[in-house]
C-alpha cells in the first residue's frame, strides 16, 4: 500500500510563516550553508542588553559549545517586561484549574508584578545569581512566577515534577545543591489531593543544607511549618514591591537544570543556558505551531518536564503569546476535558502527548464531538511515537480534517523541537515526525557508527549539527555528558532513539534503543526502576523492560527474583509491596504495570541478563527468540513463557 500523504491545507499555508515546501527548503538550506548568519538573525528577535561578539564557538574534543558569546540578556525580561509596552493588558497566562470551568487570566502586567515579588522574596532569602533553586509545585501560576523569578535574578531553577516521591526529590535537591525549595501546601489533580509539603518535609529530613522552604497555598488546608525554615509564599510576597531589577546574564550562563533519566540509576541534571535556549525555544514555538499574535495557545504538558519549560513558559512568553497552564488531567471529570477548555478559551493551537489522545479516543468520539472545537488550527503531539491510527483520529476527529497535525520529535537535552512538520509547508504522513527543523542535521547510523547515506535506511538516530538550544552539560559532571552523548558514535550526538529515513527522506522514530523507556510520555531508565526494586529487602535480583501498552504506549514489566526467605510469601502481597517500593523511590508514575516473580533470570554463561528475551516474553512474542543455546539455563525461557501466559492470560 502506498504511504498516505496528507497535503498541507491551503487555508493554513496561505497565512503561515512558512507557506510552502520551497520556502522550507530555502530556509533550511540557508541554515545549513551559513548557520552563524542564520542564527544571528534569529537571535535578533530577542532583546539583548548587550550584543554578542561571537555567534558560535565549539571545542569538539571537549564537547563544549557556546552561542552568542559576549551577549547579555535576561530570559525573564524577554518573556515578561519587554511585552509591557505593547501588550501589558493582554493575557499572558490563562490558568485552567483542576476544577472544571475555573480559569484565571493573568495579564503581562500582572505577571511582571507577581514575578518581581517572588524574585524579591528569593533575594531576601539570600538567593543570588548562579544559586540553584528547587521548584516542586503543582501546575499553579506560582510555578510560572517562580521559574521566571529565578531567571530574573540569575538563579538556576531545577523544577522537579510534582509526581516524584520524597526520595527522588531528595536526590535531586542534593545533586543540584539547592538551599531554597518552593512548593505548595497541597496539589490538586483530578480531584485528588497531593500532599506536596508533606513530601518535601520527608525529602528534607535530616538535611541541613536547605535553609528556606516557600509554600504556596493551593488549598485551605494547614500544614506543619518548621519555624525559621518554612514560610507561606503569600505572606512573603505581600511585603514586596512589584518591581525588581534583572541581572544582565551572559548568554552562556545557566538558565536551568532539569533532571532526566538515562541508562544508569542516577538521574542526570541536564543544563541549559540562557541565550541559545531562549532563541531556540522562541523560534520553534513560532514556526512549528505557526504561532501568530492573538492566538490562544494550549500545551497540556506539566511544567515539570521539558515540554512545559520550552512550550508553556519560555517559548510562548518570549513570543508574547497567551499560554494556557492546565492543572488537571485529560479525563477529569470526564474525557471531554481538553475540548471543553478549547471551547471555553477559544484555543487555536493545542499540544499534547499521544498517551492522552489514546486514553480519550478509547472513551469514544462522543466526548470530542460534544464540543465545537472550531477555534482549533494546529494540533501538536510530543513525547513518544504516535501510532498512525491515533494520528488519523487526531486529524480526522479532533481536527475535523481542517487542522494541521504536527508530530514533534525532541528531547530534554535538545531544548526544543528538532524533527517536525511545519503546518503551512510539510505534507504529513501519520506516524512520521517528517523533516528536520532549520539548522538540524539528523543522521541514521549503523552498528559501527557509520552514517547511512540516502533514503530507505534505518539505524540509530544521531545529530550532526550544533543548534542553539542544545544542552551544554550535565550539572556537576561534564565527563558524563561527553560519555553519554558523544562517545558511542564518535563525532555525533547520539539521541538514544532508533529511526528510519523513508524513500522521501521522512523520519520515523521507532523508539528508544538504549535502556530508557517512555511510559505515558514519561521518560524512565530501566536501571532506575531496577535499583528501586533491589533496594527492597525481599528482592535478590530484578530486570525491567518495556512492553507495548494500548494507552501508555510502553508499560513497565519487572522480572523479580526473591530472596530465599521470601520465596514462600503470597505473590499478590509481594507484587503490591514492590509496586509501592517503586512508588516510594521514584513516584507512582514509575510503578511497574506487571511484577513477574520468578525463580531465575535468563543469563548467558558469563552472567549477562538476556534482556532481548525478557522483552520478547513481556510483549507476548514467543517466536523468534533467537539463539538461546548460549544461555546458562536454556529451560528458564520455557518457564518464563509459561509464567507469563499465566500472568497475562495470553
Ligand atoms: O524517545 C523519544 C521520545 O521521547 C524521548 C525524549 O524524552 P524527554 O527527554 O522526556 O522529552 C520528551 C518531550 C520532548 C525521545 O528520545 N519522543 C519525544 N517526542 C517524540 C518521541 N518519540 C517519537 N516521536 C516523537 N514525536
Amino acid at each position: 500500500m502506498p504511504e498516505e500523504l496528507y497535503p498541507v491545507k491551503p487555508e493554513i499555508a496561505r497565512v503561515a510563516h512558512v507557506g510552502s515546501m520551497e520556502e522550507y527548503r530555502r530556509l533550511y538550506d540557508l541554515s545549513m550553508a551559513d548557520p552563524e548568519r542564520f542564527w544571528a538573525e534569529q537571535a535578533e528577535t530577542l532583546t539583548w542588553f548587550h550584543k554578542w561578539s561571537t555567534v558560535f564557538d565549539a571545542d569538539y574534543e571537549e564537547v563544549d559549545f557556546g552561542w552568542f558569546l559576549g551577549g547579555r540578556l535576561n530570559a525573564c525580561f524577554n518573556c515578561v517586561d519587554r511585552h509591557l509596552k505593547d501588550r501589558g493588558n493582554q493575557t499572558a497566562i490563562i490558568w485552567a484549574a483542576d476544577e472544571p470551568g475555573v480559569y484565571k487570566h493573568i495579564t503581562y502586567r500582572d505577571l511582571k508584578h507577581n514575578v518581581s515579588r517572588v524574585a524579591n522574596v528569593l533575594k531576601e532569602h539570600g538567593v543570588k545569581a548562579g544559586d540553584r533553586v528547587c521548584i516542586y509545585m503543582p501546575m499553579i501560576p506560582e510555578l510560572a512566577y517562580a521559574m521566571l523569578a529565578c531567571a530574573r535574578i540569575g538563579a538556576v531553577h531545577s523544577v522537579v515534577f510534582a509526581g516524584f516521591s520524597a526520595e527522588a526529590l531528595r536526590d535531586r535537591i542534593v545533586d543540584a545543591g539547592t538551599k531554597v525549595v518552593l512548593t505548595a501546601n497541597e496539589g490538586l489533580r483530578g480531584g485528588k489531593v497531593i500532599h506536596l509539603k508533606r513530601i518535601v518535609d520527608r525529602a528534607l529530613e535530616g538535611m541541613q543544607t536547605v535553609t528556606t522552604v516557600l509554600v504556596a497555598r493551593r488549598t485551605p488546608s494547614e500544614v506543619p511549618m518548621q519555624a525559621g525554615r518554612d514560610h507561606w509564599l503569600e505572606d512573603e510576597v505581600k511585603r514586596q514591591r512589584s518591581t525588581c531589577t534583572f541581572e544582565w546574564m551572559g548568554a552562556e550562563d545557566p538558565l536551568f537544570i532539569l533532571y532526566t533519566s538515562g541508562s544508569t540509576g542516577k538521574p542526570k541534571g541536564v543544563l541549559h543556558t540562557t541565550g541559545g535556549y531562549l532563541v531556540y525555544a522562541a523560534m520553534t514555538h513560532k514556526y512549528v505551531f505557526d504561532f501568530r499574535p492573538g492566538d490562544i495557545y494550549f500545551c497540556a504538558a506539566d511544567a515539570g518536564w521539558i515540554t512545559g519549560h520550552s512550550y508553556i513558559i519560555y517559548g510562548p512568553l518570549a513570543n508574547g503569546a497567551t499560554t494556557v497552564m492546565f492543572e488537571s488531567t485529560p479525563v477529569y471529570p470526564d474525557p471531554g476535558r481538553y475540548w471543553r477548555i478549547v471551547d471555553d478559551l477559544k484555543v487555536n493551537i493545542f499540544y499534547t502527548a499521544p498517551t492522552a489522545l489514546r486514553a480519550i479516543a478509547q472513551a469514544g468520539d462522543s466526548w470530542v464531538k460534544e464540543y465545537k472545537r472550531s477555534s482549533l488550527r494546529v494540533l501538536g503531539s510530543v513525547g513518544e511515537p504516535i501510532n498512525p491510527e491515533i494520528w488519523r483520529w487526531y486529524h480526522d476527529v479532533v481536527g475535523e480534517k481542517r487542522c494541521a497535525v504536527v508530530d514533534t520529535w525532541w528531547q530534554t537535552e535538545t531544548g526544543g523541537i528538532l524533527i517536525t512538520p511545519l503546518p503551512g509547508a510539510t505534507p504529513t504522513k501519520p506516524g512520521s515526525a517528517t523533516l528536520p527543523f532549520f539548522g538540524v542535521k539528523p543522521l541514521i547510523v549503523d552498528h559501527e557508527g557509520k552514517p547511512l547515506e540516502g533514503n530507505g535506511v534505518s539505524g540509530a538516530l544521531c545529530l550532526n549539527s550544533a543548534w542553539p538550544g542544545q544542552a551544554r552539560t550535565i550539572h556537576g559532571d561534564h565527563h558524563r555528558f561527553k560519555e553519554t552523548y558523544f562517545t558511542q558514535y564518535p563525532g555525533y550526538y547520539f539521541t538514544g532513539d532508533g529511526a528510519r529515513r523513508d524513500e522521501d527522506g521522512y523520519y520515523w522514530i521507532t523508539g528508544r534503543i538504549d535502556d530508557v523507556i517512555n511510559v505515558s510520555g514519561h521518560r524512565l531508565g530501566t536501571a532506575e526502576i531496577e535499583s528501586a526494586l533491589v533496594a527492597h529487602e525481599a528482592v535478590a535480583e530484578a530486570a525491567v523492560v518495556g512492553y507495548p501498552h494500548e494507552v501508555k504506549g510502553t508499560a513497565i514489566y519487572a522480572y523479580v527474583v526473591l530472596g530465599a526467605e521470601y520465596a514462600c510469601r503470597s505473590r499478590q502481597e509481594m507484587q503490591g509491596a514492590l509496586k509501592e517500593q517503586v512508588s516510594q523511590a521514584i513516584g507512582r508514575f514509575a510503578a511497574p504495570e506487571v511484577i513477574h516473580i520468578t525463580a531465575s533470570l535468563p543469563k548467558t554463561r558469563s552472567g549477562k541478563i538476556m534482556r532481548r528475551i525478557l522483552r520478547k516474553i513481556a510483549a507476548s512474542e514467543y517466536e523468534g527468540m533467537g539463539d538461546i543455546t548460549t544461555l546458562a539455563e536454556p529451560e528458564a525461557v520455557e518457564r518464563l513463557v509459561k509464567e507469563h501466559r499465566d500472568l497475562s492470560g495470553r
Side-chain angles (χ1 to χ4, degrees):
M1 188 182 96
E3 248 154 19
E4 305 155 89
L5 196 66
Y6 286 62
V8 169
K9 318 293 182 253
E11 327 66 86
I12 291 182
R14 211 171 302 127
V15 288
H17 295 301
V18 182
S20 66
M21 259 327 243
E22 292 68 44
E23 182 61 2
Y24 161 74
R25 287 214 183 86
R26 188 184 71 79
L27 289 167
Y28 184 78
D29 291 347
L30 269 180
S31 75
M32 287 291 133
D34 193 350
E36 296 195 15
R37 185 169 147 204
F38 182 86
W39 289 114
E41 264 174 36
Q42 287 308 316
E44 297 283 359
T45 62
L46 296 185
T47 306
W48 297 76
F49 299 141
H50 184 275
K51 204 167 162 177
W52 58 88
S53 46
T54 307
V55 177
F56 175 63
D57 194 20
D59 182 327
Y60 288 98
E61 207 149 298
E62 295 299 322
V63 189
D64 267 316
F65 311 105
W67 286 89
F68 314 114
L69 295 154
R72 295 215 163 251
L73 78 168
N74 185 283
C76 179
F77 178 85
N78 274 281
C79 290
V80 183
D81 302 63
R82 72 163 171 157
H83 303 309
L84 291 189
K85 197 166 138 276
D86 296 334
R87 49 176 60 118
N89 294 327
Q90 183 203 301
T91 302
I93 296 176
I94 306 176
W95 179 58
D98 193 51
E99 300 89 342
V102 175
Y103 302 103
K104 182 172 171 183
H105 288 64
I106 299 146
T107 65
Y108 273 96
R109 182 159 292 114
D110 296 337
L111 186 60
K112 188 224 156 185
H113 295 163
N114 289 316
V115 168
S116 296
R117 289 196 170 97
V118 176
N120 286 329
V121 171
L122 292 174
K123 279 188 160 139
E124 202 174 278
H125 285 275
V127 178
K128 298 200 173 50
D131 289 351
R132 273 83 54 206
V133 171
C134 175
I135 302 176
Y136 182 72
M137 284 181 137
M139 282 288 283
I140 55 177
E142 286 79 358
L143 168 56
Y145 306 158
M147 291 168 73
L148 293 163
C150 288
R152 194 171 190 92
I153 63 172
V156 181
H157 58 70
S158 161
V159 182
V160 178
F161 171 59
F164 276 110
S165 68
E167 267 181 58
L169 173 62
R170 182 189 177 86
D171 290 347
R172 285 156 179 77
I173 289 172
V174 170
D175 187 84
T178 48
K179 287 182 286 208
V180 174
V181 177
L182 287 112
T183 188
N185 57 340
E186 294 176 333
L188 270 187
R189 206 153 178 271
K192 292 199 199 83
V193 172
I194 306 157
H195 300 280
L196 295 175
K197 173 63 166 59
R198 209 189 281 167
I199 297 172
V200 169
D201 286 343
R202 272 212 304 277
L204 298 184
E205 258 166 38
M207 201 196 287
Q208 304 302 327
T209 43
V210 171
T211 49
T212 303
V213 177
L214 298 164
V215 186
R217 192 187 285 281
R218 171 59 182 97
T219 65
S221 307
E222 289 306 321
V223 289
M225 299 288 276
Q226 184 178 308
R229 187 194 70 180
D230 302 348
H231 310 269
W232 288 104
L233 187 61
E234 58 182 357
D235 296 341
E236 298 284 298
V237 294
K238 246 187 246 156
R239 291 185 284 109
Q240 300 296 339
R241 292 182 65 193
S242 63
T243 172
C244 169
T245 50
F246 357 79
E247 289 288 321
W248 286 31
M249 304 306 290
E252 280 300 317
D253 282 336
L255 178 62
F256 65 85
I257 296 170
L258 186 57
Y259 285 88
T260 190
S261 300
S263 42
T264 71
K266 192 174 172 317
K268 301 175 282 201
V270 171
L271 186 137
H272 283 283
T273 57
T274 309
Y277 170 80
L278 199 61
V279 168
Y280 198 75
M283 185 194 184
T284 45
H285 172 258
K286 175 175 164 188
Y287 284 92
V288 172
F289 301 108
D290 199 37
F291 168 77
R292 286 198 301 271
D295 279 345
I296 308 290
Y297 165 86
F298 174 16
C299 165
D302 192 289
W305 306 108
I306 192 68
T307 307
H309 281 56
S310 301
Y311 299 114
I312 297 177
I313 308 291
Y314 288 111
L317 293 177
N319 289 333
T322 298
T323 180
V324 178
M325 245 183 119
F326 179 42
E327 189 180 28
S328 196
T329 83
V331 292
Y332 180 75
D334 58 54
R337 186 66 189 274
Y338 279 163
W339 326 121
R340 171 174 180 168
I341 296 178
V342 165
D343 280 6
D344 284 353
L345 305 178
K346 306 279 175 294
V347 170
N348 308 109
I349 303 167
F350 176 68
Y351 193 28
T352 193
T355 185
L357 298 174
R358 285 191 292 263
I360 301 168
Q362 222 176 43
D365 293 357
S366 58
W367 289 110
V368 184
K369 291 186 174 151
E370 196 176 321
Y371 299 92
K372 290 222 286 288
R373 291 159 285 119
S374 51
S375 53
L376 286 174
R377 192 176 76 240
V378 177
L379 302 171
S381 168
V382 62
E384 39 167 338
I386 181 165
N387 39 318
E389 309 75 62
I390 230 47
W391 192 104
R392 282 186 217 107
W393 178 83
Y394 204 18
H395 178 269
D396 295 355
V397 179
V398 176
E400 293 177 320
K401 304 185 181 175
R402 34 172 203 86
C403 298
V405 171
V406 288
D407 171 15
T408 64
W409 175 86
W410 59 297
Q411 314 179 295
T412 304
E413 295 86 343
T414 70
I417 295 162
L418 295 195
I419 303 182
T420 179
L422 300 182
T426 321
T428 41
K429 299 181 186 185
S432 168
T434 74
L435 298 170
F437 191 71
F438 310 130
V440 175
K441 193 158 183 223
L443 287 181
I444 306 272
V445 173
D446 71 9
H447 291 303
E448 285 147 20
K450 200 168 85 303
L452 299 170
E453 301 293 332
N455 291 338
V457 291
S458 42
L461 180 65
C462 291
L463 299 163
N464 187 23
S465 57
W467 67 100
Q470 87 185 111
R472 301 295 194 265
T473 192
I474 291 174
H475 174 70
D477 199 348
H478 193 65
H479 178 72
R480 189 169 173 207
F481 183 67
K482 275 202 247 181
E483 287 288 307
T484 309
Y485 304 108
F486 295 90
T487 51
Q488 199 152 341
Y489 299 102
Y492 311 124
Y493 168 89
F494 173 46
T495 63
D497 281 321
R500 174 165 72 90
R501 186 166 52 228
D502 74 10
E503 299 304 332
D504 299 321
Y506 274 42
Y507 288 86
W508 298 74
I509 312 298
T510 49
R512 300 291 302 202
I513 50 175
D514 54 2
D515 295 323
V516 169
I517 43 184
N518 279 318
V519 182
S520 302
H522 297 322
R523 174 168 158 186
L524 289 159
T526 52
E528 248 176 299
I529 307 165
E530 285 164 8
S531 66
L533 287 167
V534 295
H536 192 284
E537 55 183 8
V539 177
E541 224 179 350
V544 166
V545 297
Y547 72 99
H549 186 278
E550 259 184 40
V551 173
K552 296 181 171 186
T554 306
I556 305 169
Y557 193 109
Y559 294 88
V560 172
V561 179
L562 298 178
E565 62 277 35
Y566 288 87
C568 54
R569 289 280 181 92
S570 126
R571 274 176 190 243
Q572 221 172 353
E573 181 197 335
M574 284 316 304
Q575 282 159 339
L578 294 178
K579 286 184 186 179
E580 188 51 32
Q581 166 78 13
V582 179
S583 302
Q584 292 291 332
I586 304 172
R588 203 151 284 286
F589 65 95
E593 188 81 14
V594 181
I595 304 253
H596 178 157
I597 297 172
T598 190
S600 66
L601 299 175
K603 290 186 185 158
T604 59
R605 286 192 198 100
S606 58
K608 197 169 164 301
I609 296 174
M610 296 283 276
R611 286 172 185 277
R612 179 173 51 81
I613 290 176
L614 294 178
R615 270 194 287 268
K616 285 235 163 214
I617 297 174
S620 305
E621 288 172 19
Y622 308 125
E623 305 296 317
M625 295 269 187
D627 183 13
I628 57 169
T629 55
T630 55
L631 286 179
E633 203 196 348
E635 59 285 0
V637 174
E638 218 170 290
R639 187 193 69 240
L640 285 164
V641 167
K642 181 173 176 309
E643 289 167 351
H644 173 76
R645 283 187 195 273
D646 292 345
L647 257 177
S648 64
R650 292 160 83 178

